[in-house]
Amino acid sequence: MNDKKRAFLATVLTVFAFVTLIAGCGSSEPGPGDPGWIDSERLLNADNELENWMSLGRDFQQQHYSPADLINTDNVHDLGLAWEYDARTPRGRVNRGLEAIPIVVDGIMYTSGAWSIVYALDARTGEEVWTYDPQVDGSFARAECCDIVNRGVQVWKGRVYVATFDGYLVALDARSGLVLWRVDTLTDRTRGYSITGAPQIAGNIVVIGNSGADFGVRGYITAYDLTTGAEEWRFFMVPGDPDNGYEHPEMEMAAETWDPDSDWESGGGGTAWGQFAYDPHLNLLYIGTGNSTPYPIWFRSPSGGDNLFLASVLAINPDTGALVWYYQTTPGEIWDYTVTQNLVLADLEIDGSSRQVLMVAPKNGFLYVLDRETGELLTADNFVRVTWATHIDLDSGRPVLTEQGNYEDEPKWVFPWDIGAHSWQQMSYSPDTELVYIPATDAGMLYTSYDEYSFKPGEWNVGIYYLADSLKSDLLIARDPVTQEEIWSVKLSGVGNGGVLSTGGNLVFQGNANGNFVAHRADTGEILHQIPTGTGIMAAPITYVIDGEQYVAVMAGFGGALLDYFVEENAAATYENYGRILAFKLNGTDVPLPPKRIIPPITEPPVRSTTVESIEDGGQLYGKYCAVCHGGIGGERMSLFPSLIRMASNTHGLFNQILLEGLYEPNGMANWSDILTAEDAGAIHDYLVSEQESAWRAQENLN
């Protein structure tokens, strides 16, 4: 046999062996010692495995804290880059945000990115082990309020669970990334549902919720068998039309808090898209629910009512799907004050007794501490400026409302704004300092109600105008959850700063929208070290130890609700905003900065035969359907979506194909032919050509 034949045979045998291995991985059941093997015993003993980060919040308490202290206040100034992985958006021109929290087990990092892609990486080097692309349906980009993001996976007993933006829950083999099962979680694919949140393991089930309340959907969570993907139960967050009956007893109870003649067609909202928690000792699954559809209760439930279970924390028995207790933070919710922020479990001493508590800092500006066994409210106070309520009555558990919060008859400036005093970016609790660390925003908004409202399929169905918001100030706040005393706060630059990690090294880590990765002293807030990355960071960091060396890692990439509206201080205004996974260690190197952002010049637009009426009509249509992403009427703003007054000649030629035929739908620019006619598209095009003509002439005159 000659050398060429030997080489060919060796190649064939190698490929055959690899395919056989992968096939075996896909067909045999994983067991202890296999990649991705996390079980209850390991998770309950997470403090004994500092080399791992085994849940979104590290352990079952979801505190976003690690006892690891090899990196500490004495040496954190030596922290630098260990490795970087390129996780840029694979589809279209828009680099989407990265919001996931990685999971690390036995040297492998599992995480997710834009378009629900899953990555398995070597946690020491960042080398790729495998990736999984679920090929999300691009038409679902129409159903995103806040970017095509994914907030993480769960890893359990050799499987990686991920929910896709277009509504599927998928179980992957942790060894290979091969699909083990895939189920459709959506009850109605004609509505504006999507999924951006991570699943939650609770006993023998995996649970997933959904997003889409701003478009008019009815929120729910669904539980599936971990091994087979078979549906076990479903829990709706708000009732449907009582004339159609109730899916489970809790809906009959909830319906009593709604007007019988509510606007059932709008769905009601209440979607659960945040970070859940599960207490294996109490066998309770904790869910935070979302905002209303539409926001104004005078359209949604005209006679008023608490409108359960909007803006609530629910404790559910995962074996049966039955409600054990609930606490509603914002009865009759009208401000988009979701409770989809991360839920943190801890044991605190309150009034001389040890209490098992759940802590949450929702959008509404109050930090709540609840008994997680009973739902009893223990403490609550505002952590930023709040004008919709004066305080929380600890006896009734209800907010004491102000007239300033009621915008039914006239516009009102209300604090916090709709993005919230605390959005989805994770807060942390350190049992060392006994403080919570909240990434907060002090901002208000002019809430202005529609005069009339009716549900419109495929459109935003919030019932308010977005006319103005106040100056915004992001803060990192350290607060005692028992006394509700603020211990320290640090003002941050930019808007949309990242989630938080606290560690046993007396450190708090946070990535910022301005592209810095920052280490604070946990007890005082003093900034000890800043690492410029050139990439805005929204996600919370994690930490893990390999062979005696501690790493701190974070998903970097700006986006989310501010993808289309950010400020000059944000790194995305200066640098290309592509996704990266960054891992740091002591004595690491500098982080390479991305290339500078280049804004293309405005070119001379094509000549079109237009009328004043067509341009005016097009401007109104553009403002209603396009400006939310592409920029405001009469100019531009900081947006990572393409500016349509900078269209090239070939884009003008394809305008109707893009808008009405879905030419760019795979890239996230969906088809609008269900709402817009050819005449509408022509009017929008006339308006954009007129705007581009004016902007081009101004540019040429300036030059």
mmCIF file of all heavy atoms in Angstrom, residues 308-329:
data_model
loop_
_atom_site.group_PDB
_atom_site.id
_atom_site.type_symbol
_atom_site.label_atom_id
_atom_site.label_comp_id
_atom_site.label_asym_id
_atom_site.label_seq_id
_atom_site.Cartn_x
_atom_site.Cartn_y
_atom_site.Cartn_z
ATOM 1 N N LEU A 308 -54.962 40.328 38.656
ATOM 2 C CA LEU A 308 -54.024 39.234 38.894
ATOM 3 C C LEU A 308 -53.832 38.421 37.614
ATOM 4 O O LEU A 308 -54.756 38.277 36.815
ATOM 5 C CB LEU A 308 -54.552 38.329 40.008
ATOM 6 C CG LEU A 308 -54.634 38.966 41.400
ATOM 7 C CD1 LEU A 308 -55.315 38.010 42.376
ATOM 8 C CD2 LEU A 308 -53.275 39.370 41.921
ATOM 9 N N PHE A 309 -52.606 37.878 37.402
ATOM 10 C CA PHE A 309 -51.421 37.958 38.227
ATOM 11 C C PHE A 309 -50.370 38.841 37.555
ATOM 12 O O PHE A 309 -49.201 38.453 37.438
ATOM 13 C CB PHE A 309 -50.846 36.558 38.457
ATOM 14 C CG PHE A 309 -51.736 35.664 39.279
ATOM 15 C CD1 PHE A 309 -52.512 34.692 38.675
ATOM 16 C CD2 PHE A 309 -51.798 35.815 40.655
ATOM 17 C CE1 PHE A 309 -53.327 33.869 39.438
ATOM 18 C CE2 PHE A 309 -52.606 34.994 41.421
ATOM 19 C CZ PHE A 309 -53.378 34.017 40.819
ATOM 20 N N LEU A 310 -50.786 40.024 37.098
ATOM 21 C CA LEU A 310 -49.824 40.967 36.546
ATOM 22 C C LEU A 310 -48.849 41.398 37.634
ATOM 23 O O LEU A 310 -49.208 41.503 38.812
ATOM 24 C CB LEU A 310 -50.541 42.202 35.999
ATOM 25 C CG LEU A 310 -51.484 42.015 34.813
ATOM 26 C CD1 LEU A 310 -52.216 43.317 34.519
ATOM 27 C CD2 LEU A 310 -50.723 41.537 33.582
ATOM 28 N N ALA A 311 -47.592 41.676 37.238
ATOM 29 C CA ALA A 311 -46.588 42.280 38.118
ATOM 30 C C ALA A 311 -46.542 41.601 39.483
ATOM 31 O O ALA A 311 -46.640 42.253 40.520
ATOM 32 C CB ALA A 311 -46.863 43.776 38.268
ATOM 33 N N SER A 312 -46.388 40.291 39.474
ATOM 34 C CA SER A 312 -46.467 39.504 40.704
ATOM 35 C C SER A 312 -45.303 38.526 40.811
ATOM 36 O O SER A 312 -44.647 38.199 39.821
ATOM 37 C CB SER A 312 -47.780 38.706 40.746
ATOM 38 O OG SER A 312 -48.908 39.543 40.700
ATOM 39 N N VAL A 313 -45.085 38.047 42.034
ATOM 40 C CA VAL A 313 -44.226 36.893 42.288
ATOM 41 C C VAL A 313 -45.137 35.725 42.634
ATOM 42 O O VAL A 313 -46.000 35.845 43.512
ATOM 43 C CB VAL A 313 -43.245 37.155 43.443
ATOM 44 C CG1 VAL A 313 -42.410 35.905 43.717
ATOM 45 C CG2 VAL A 313 -42.339 38.339 43.128
ATOM 46 N N LEU A 314 -44.955 34.596 41.949
ATOM 47 C CA LEU A 314 -45.756 33.402 42.184
ATOM 48 C C LEU A 314 -44.866 32.288 42.720
ATOM 49 O O LEU A 314 -43.740 32.099 42.240
ATOM 50 C CB LEU A 314 -46.416 32.918 40.892
ATOM 51 C CG LEU A 314 -47.197 33.930 40.054
ATOM 52 C CD1 LEU A 314 -47.794 33.238 38.836
ATOM 53 C CD2 LEU A 314 -48.276 34.608 40.867
ATOM 54 N N ALA A 315 -45.372 31.548 43.694
ATOM 55 C CA ALA A 315 -44.714 30.333 44.170
ATOM 56 C C ALA A 315 -45.585 29.152 43.766
ATOM 57 O O ALA A 315 -46.763 29.078 44.145
ATOM 58 C CB ALA A 315 -44.526 30.370 45.677
ATOM 59 N N ILE A 316 -45.023 28.238 42.987
ATOM 60 C CA ILE A 316 -45.780 27.152 42.369
ATOM 61 C C ILE A 316 -45.159 25.813 42.758
ATOM 62 O O ILE A 316 -43.927 25.674 42.797
ATOM 63 C CB ILE A 316 -45.792 27.319 40.835
ATOM 64 C CG1 ILE A 316 -46.593 28.576 40.453
ATOM 65 C CG2 ILE A 316 -46.346 26.093 40.130
ATOM 66 C CD1 ILE A 316 -46.515 28.932 38.985
ATOM 67 N N ASN A 317 -46.005 24.837 43.041
ATOM 68 C CA ASN A 317 -45.537 23.469 43.263
ATOM 69 C C ASN A 317 -45.183 22.866 41.902
ATOM 70 O O ASN A 317 -46.071 22.658 41.070
ATOM 71 C CB ASN A 317 -46.633 22.650 43.939
ATOM 72 C CG ASN A 317 -46.191 21.233 44.262
ATOM 73 O OD1 ASN A 317 -45.356 20.649 43.566
ATOM 74 N ND2 ASN A 317 -46.749 20.662 45.317
ATOM 75 N N PRO A 318 -43.911 22.559 41.649
ATOM 76 C CA PRO A 318 -43.541 22.085 40.311
ATOM 77 C C PRO A 318 -44.046 20.684 39.995
ATOM 78 O O PRO A 318 -44.077 20.296 38.820
ATOM 79 C CB PRO A 318 -42.011 22.128 40.339
ATOM 80 C CG PRO A 318 -41.655 21.980 41.777
ATOM 81 C CD PRO A 318 -42.741 22.678 42.537
ATOM 82 N N ASP A 319 -44.438 19.928 41.016
ATOM 83 C CA ASP A 319 -44.956 18.583 40.766
ATOM 84 C C ASP A 319 -46.359 18.617 40.168
ATOM 85 O O ASP A 319 -46.739 17.723 39.403
ATOM 86 C CB ASP A 319 -44.983 17.772 42.064
ATOM 87 C CG ASP A 319 -43.595 17.559 42.652
ATOM 88 O OD1 ASP A 319 -42.617 17.587 41.876
ATOM 89 O OD2 ASP A 319 -43.491 17.384 43.879
ATOM 90 N N THR A 320 -47.126 19.652 40.535
ATOM 91 C CA THR A 320 -48.530 19.707 40.123
ATOM 92 C C THR A 320 -48.881 20.927 39.283
ATOM 93 O O THR A 320 -49.919 20.938 38.616
ATOM 94 C CB THR A 320 -49.432 19.720 41.366
ATOM 95 O OG1 THR A 320 -49.169 20.922 42.121
ATOM 96 C CG2 THR A 320 -49.170 18.507 42.243
ATOM 97 N N GLY A 321 -48.055 21.972 39.345
ATOM 98 C CA GLY A 321 -48.393 23.219 38.672
ATOM 99 C C GLY A 321 -49.391 24.059 39.439
ATOM 100 O O GLY A 321 -49.928 25.037 38.900
ATOM 101 N N ALA A 322 -49.647 23.725 40.708
ATOM 102 C CA ALA A 322 -50.624 24.461 41.518
ATOM 103 C C ALA A 322 -49.955 25.635 42.227
ATOM 104 O O ALA A 322 -48.812 25.541 42.684
ATOM 105 C CB ALA A 322 -51.268 23.537 42.542
ATOM 106 N N LEU A 323 -50.692 26.732 42.347
ATOM 107 C CA LEU A 323 -50.200 27.925 43.031
ATOM 108 C C LEU A 323 -50.196 27.690 44.535
ATOM 109 O O LEU A 323 -51.183 27.230 45.111
ATOM 110 C CB LEU A 323 -51.090 29.120 42.685
ATOM 111 C CG LEU A 323 -50.685 30.471 43.276
ATOM 112 C CD1 LEU A 323 -49.385 30.964 42.659
ATOM 113 C CD2 LEU A 323 -51.798 31.507 43.057
ATOM 114 N N VAL A 324 -49.083 28.038 45.190
ATOM 115 C CA VAL A 324 -48.968 27.926 46.642
ATOM 116 C C VAL A 324 -49.187 29.291 47.291
ATOM 117 O O VAL A 324 -49.911 29.413 48.277
ATOM 118 C CB VAL A 324 -47.600 27.344 47.037
ATOM 119 C CG1 VAL A 324 -47.432 27.302 48.555
ATOM 120 C CG2 VAL A 324 -47.439 25.942 46.441
ATOM 121 N N TRP A 325 -48.551 30.332 46.763
ATOM 122 C CA TRP A 325 -48.815 31.699 47.218
ATOM 123 C C TRP A 325 -48.437 32.678 46.119
ATOM 124 O O TRP A 325 -47.750 32.318 45.161
ATOM 125 C CB TRP A 325 -48.092 32.034 48.528
ATOM 126 C CG TRP A 325 -46.583 31.953 48.550
ATOM 127 C CD1 TRP A 325 -45.821 30.959 49.087
ATOM 128 C CD2 TRP A 325 -45.647 32.928 48.036
ATOM 129 N NE1 TRP A 325 -44.484 31.229 48.931
ATOM 130 C CE2 TRP A 325 -44.341 32.447 48.296
ATOM 131 C CE3 TRP A 325 -45.775 34.153 47.387
ATOM 132 C CZ2 TRP A 325 -43.185 33.131 47.922
ATOM 133 C CZ3 TRP A 325 -44.626 34.850 47.009
ATOM 134 C CH2 TRP A 325 -43.353 34.342 47.276
ATOM 135 N N TYR A 326 -48.907 33.922 46.273
ATOM 136 C CA TYR A 326 -48.518 34.973 45.337
ATOM 137 C C TYR A 326 -48.397 36.284 46.095
ATOM 138 O O TYR A 326 -48.983 36.475 47.166
ATOM 139 C CB TYR A 326 -49.535 35.120 44.194
ATOM 140 C CG TYR A 326 -50.832 35.780 44.597
ATOM 141 C CD1 TYR A 326 -50.995 37.165 44.512
ATOM 142 C CD2 TYR A 326 -51.904 35.028 45.085
ATOM 143 C CE1 TYR A 326 -52.177 37.783 44.901
ATOM 144 C CE2 TYR A 326 -53.081 35.631 45.472
ATOM 145 C CZ TYR A 326 -53.220 37.010 45.380
ATOM 146 O OH TYR A 326 -54.385 37.619 45.772
ATOM 147 N N TYR A 327 -47.611 37.193 45.526
ATOM 148 C CA TYR A 327 -47.534 38.562 46.034
ATOM 149 C C TYR A 327 -47.505 39.489 44.827
ATOM 150 O O TYR A 327 -46.644 39.348 43.950
ATOM 151 C CB TYR A 327 -46.292 38.787 46.899
ATOM 152 C CG TYR A 327 -46.159 40.236 47.326
ATOM 153 C CD1 TYR A 327 -46.933 40.737 48.362
ATOM 154 C CD2 TYR A 327 -45.299 41.102 46.656
ATOM 155 C CE1 TYR A 327 -46.847 42.072 48.735
ATOM 156 C CE2 TYR A 327 -45.205 42.436 47.023
ATOM 157 C CZ TYR A 327 -45.988 42.916 48.063
ATOM 158 O OH TYR A 327 -45.920 44.238 48.421
ATOM 159 N N GLN A 328 -48.442 40.428 44.778
ATOM 160 C CA GLN A 328 -48.508 41.373 43.664
ATOM 161 C C GLN A 328 -47.864 42.690 44.083
ATOM 162 O O GLN A 328 -48.305 43.336 45.031
ATOM 163 C CB GLN A 328 -49.953 41.608 43.231
ATOM 164 C CG GLN A 328 -50.070 42.423 41.944
ATOM 165 C CD GLN A 328 -51.505 42.552 41.462
ATOM 166 O OE1 GLN A 328 -52.421 42.742 42.259
ATOM 167 N NE2 GLN A 328 -51.710 42.451 40.157
ATOM 168 N N THR A 329 -46.829 43.099 43.350
ATOM 169 C CA THR A 329 -46.116 44.329 43.701
ATOM 170 C C THR A 329 -46.861 45.578 43.258
ATOM 171 O O THR A 329 -46.801 46.614 43.928
ATOM 172 C CB THR A 329 -44.718 44.348 43.058
ATOM 173 O OG1 THR A 329 -44.857 44.372 41.632
ATOM 174 C CG2 THR A 329 -43.904 43.136 43.472
#
